[in-house]
Amino acid sequence: MFGTGSVSYEVQSRREGRWRIEGAYTDQESAMSAARSQLAASGVEEAKVVKFRTIAGLSLETVILHKTVPQAPRKGLTLGGTAEGAPLCRTPDDLRGFESRVVIGRLLRPYLDAQRITPTELLHSWPLFRRFEEQGALLGAAIHAVARHHADIHGVSHAARARELRQLVEAVTEAARDALAERRRLPRFDTADLPGTSRRIEEAVEPAGHDALFLILLCQHLEAGGPLAGKLDLLLAMMGEDAEPRHLALLDGVVADIMGSADTVKELLGAQPSLHAGLCVLSDGLFDRDPDPALAPMAGSLRRVCRLALQGRAPQSRTVLLERLRQSIAGDQPLDRRDAKADGMLTHDLADRMKGADGALLGGAAMEKALERRLLRHRQSVLRAQGMHGHRRPAVGAVAGGGIRAGE
C-alpha cells in the first residue's frame, strides 16, 4: 500500500564511554561485517547496527545488532615508579610544569598507558580526572609517594606536605571542571590559527591564565586522536615552521608526555630485532642521520620529533628521549637477547653511534656514566663465568675506543 520505501544501515561503536558513527551502508551484510570488525578493534566497548527505513515520510529505526565486548578481569593498578626528582611544587602552575609531569608520568604509567592519555590531559580534562579518581587509592598513593620524597629530601612534614599536594591537585582540576561547565562559551580552538586562538583566550581570561586554558582546549581537541600515536600526529600538525614560540613550548610539553610512554616509543621505533638496534635507530634520529637500511625505519612522526629536538624547537621532548636512552643503556636488559656475550662489543658500537660529527657524546656525562656502568657489568659477568671476580671500572677511553668526550 505504501511501497517499499528506502532502507539504510548505520554502524555505531562505543569507545571510552562515548558512542560515535563509524559508517553508513545501503546493504545489511556490509553493515553487519563492519560492526563485527569494530567489535574486534582495540578500545571498542560496544557496537551496534541500526536499520533506518523511510515509508511515506515516516522514519522507522530498528537496532538489528547490539553486542558488548567481553571485558577481561581488571587487575588492581599500582604505581609504576618512584617519586625521585619530584619538584617541590607550591602553585598550580608548578604542578602543571615539565618536571612535575615527568614524575606524574613515571608514577602513573600503568594507568596512563591503559587509558591512552598523557599527564597533561589528566590535569586539564575533568572527565579524565574523575575517571582516575574512581580508581580508589591510586591518587592517594601517588600523593603520599611524593610527600614521602619531599619529607626525605627537604625535611618537611609528610602529612602536611600530602595535604598541600592534594590542595594543589584540587586547584588544577577545579579549573578543568569549571572549563567543562562553560564549554559552550569557551573560545574556539582553531588548529589552523593558533595565534587567533590565543587572542580569543586572552580576551576571555587574564593573560596569566592563557596557558592553562590553551591546554584545556588542546586536550579537548586531542580527544579525537585515539591512541597516543594518533594524538602525536595531531600535535605535530600544529608545530609547523610558522608556529610561535609560546605555542611550540606548550605543544612540545604534550609531545614530551607522549615520549614518556615506553610502549609508545617502542611502537614508533618500528619492529627492531634487539634493544641495540632500537637505541641505534633512536640515536640516528636525534642526529637526523639517514636511516640505516639494515634496520627497520622509525615512524615518520618520531623522526619529526627528533628533528624538532635537534633544531632546538622541542627541548622537553629531547630531554625525555635522552633520558629514555640513558635508562635503557644503564638498565639490565641485554642489548641483544640472542647473544648476551656480545654486550661489550655492542656497547662500544652504540657509543660510537652516539657521537656527533664534533666527537661529542649524545647526552654528555650522564650518558658516559651509563655506558661505563654497562661495560663494567659485562666485564663482571665475563669474569664470573671464568670463575674470577673483578671490580675494576673500565677506563673512560675504552668505551668509545678512543675516548669519550662529554658534551651535550
Side-chain angles (χ1 to χ4, degrees):
M1 178 177 177
F2 295 106
T4 58
S6 63
V7 178
S8 63
Y9 302 86
E10 188 175 274
V11 176
Q12 303 175 9
S13 71
R14 187 169 75 94
R15 298 169 183 261
E16 299 182 350
R18 295 186 177 187
W19 284 97
R20 68 184 189 185
I21 298 172
E22 298 292 348
Y25 302 85
T26 56
D27 66 286
Q28 181 172 320
E29 184 56 37
S30 296
M32 299 290 280
S33 176
R36 287 191 289 269
S37 296
Q38 285 297 319
L39 288 167
S42 174
V44 172
E45 299 160 354
E46 296 179 67
K48 60 184 176 182
V49 177
V50 183
K51 178 181 178 180
F52 295 93
R53 187 176 183 186
T54 304
I55 302 176
L58 298 176
S59 180
L60 304 177
E61 178 180 325
T62 307
V63 176
I64 61 175
L65 174 74
H66 187 176
K67 287 192 174 183
T68 301
V69 178
Q71 298 295 314
R74 294 181 62 181
K75 298 180 180 179
L77 290 171
T78 59
L79 297 182
T82 70
E84 182 180 356
L88 195 65
C89 298
R90 297 295 189 188
T91 68
D93 283 342
D94 291 341
L95 188 63
R96 298 183 182 105
F98 173 61
E99 292 81 6
S100 172
R101 295 197 323 276
V102 168
V103 176
I104 293 172
R106 186 191 314 133
L107 286 170
L108 303 181
R109 181 53 52 199
Y111 178 80
L112 296 172
D113 282 351
Q115 297 295 318
R116 304 186 300 177
I117 61 174
T118 62
T120 294
E121 291 172 282
L122 183 64
L123 293 172
H124 293 84
S125 169
W126 176 245
L128 293 180
F129 182 77
R130 279 295 302 275
R131 188 182 303 163
F132 171 60
E133 274 192 314
E134 292 171 359
Q135 298 302 309
L138 197 55
L139 173 60
I143 287 175
H144 281 284
V146 175
R148 280 194 298 273
H149 175 73
H150 288 163
D152 293 342
I153 300 298
H154 303 288
V156 297
S157 164
H158 177 168
R161 185 58 187 153
R163 287 193 297 271
E164 291 171 0
L165 288 169
R166 189 169 289 276
Q167 290 169 358
L168 284 178
V169 170
E170 290 174 354
V172 169
T173 55
E174 280 176 7
R177 182 189 62 193
D178 293 344
L180 180 65
E182 298 290 329
R183 186 165 186 168
R184 291 186 177 181
R185 288 186 281 183
L186 290 178
R188 181 170 58 88
F189 189 82
D190 186 350
T191 61
D193 183 17
L194 294 184
T197 297
S198 286
R199 286 194 296 272
R200 289 189 291 273
I201 289 174
E202 290 176 342
E203 290 171 1
V205 298
E206 294 294 326
H210 170 273
D211 290 358
L213 184 51
F214 183 96
L215 289 172
I216 288 171
L217 297 175
L218 173 64
C219 290
Q220 292 175 1
H221 171 68
L222 293 179
E223 291 174 3
L228 293 179
K231 294 175 182 180
L232 178 60
D233 290 335
L234 294 179
L235 291 162
L236 291 173
M238 293 179 272
M239 299 176 73
E241 295 295 330
D242 58 345
E244 294 182 359
R246 68 169 171 175
H247 297 136
L248 274 177
L250 293 169
L251 296 168
D252 175 37
V254 189
V255 172
D257 285 356
I258 294 175
M259 295 298 102
S261 168
D263 289 347
T264 300
V265 173
K266 183 178 179 180
E267 174 189 342
L268 296 173
L269 280 173
Q272 303 302 336
S274 65
L275 176 61
H276 171 262
L279 297 181
C280 285
V281 169
L282 182 54
S283 297
D284 287 346
L286 287 168
F287 282 117
D288 199 22
R289 295 180 181 132
D290 291 336
D292 187 335
L295 300 174
M298 67 167 57
S301 55
L302 181 56
R303 178 161 289 278
R304 176 83 190 284
V305 173
C306 290
R307 187 171 292 125
L308 288 168
L310 182 64
Q311 295 168 349
R313 303 177 73 218
Q316 295 174 65
S317 297
R318 175 181 170 82
T319 297
V320 172
L321 287 173
L322 287 177
E323 178 60 14
R324 182 152 305 287
L325 268 174
R326 189 199 67 78
Q327 289 180 354
S328 297
I329 292 170
D332 297 330
Q333 180 180 335
L335 290 176
D336 190 339
R337 292 186 183 276
R338 299 165 299 182
D339 187 6
K341 295 180 180 179
D343 222 66
M345 178 188 68
L346 294 177
T347 302
H348 283 292
D349 178 73
L350 183 58
D352 289 338
R353 198 76 163 249
M354 295 175 63
K355 294 170 66 177
D358 60 355
L361 181 69
L362 190 66
M367 200 73 72
E368 176 184 324
K369 184 176 180 179
L371 288 163
E372 288 182 345
R373 176 181 173 182
R374 179 169 284 272
L375 279 176
L376 174 62
R377 191 167 58 245
H378 174 68
R379 172 183 172 82
Q380 290 173 338
S381 69
V382 171
L383 292 176
R384 282 194 298 270
Q386 296 173 347
M388 304 169 62
H389 299 281
H391 303 283
R392 182 171 59 87
R393 293 179 62 85
V396 170
V399 177
I404 288 183
R405 176 179 151 206
E408 297 298 324

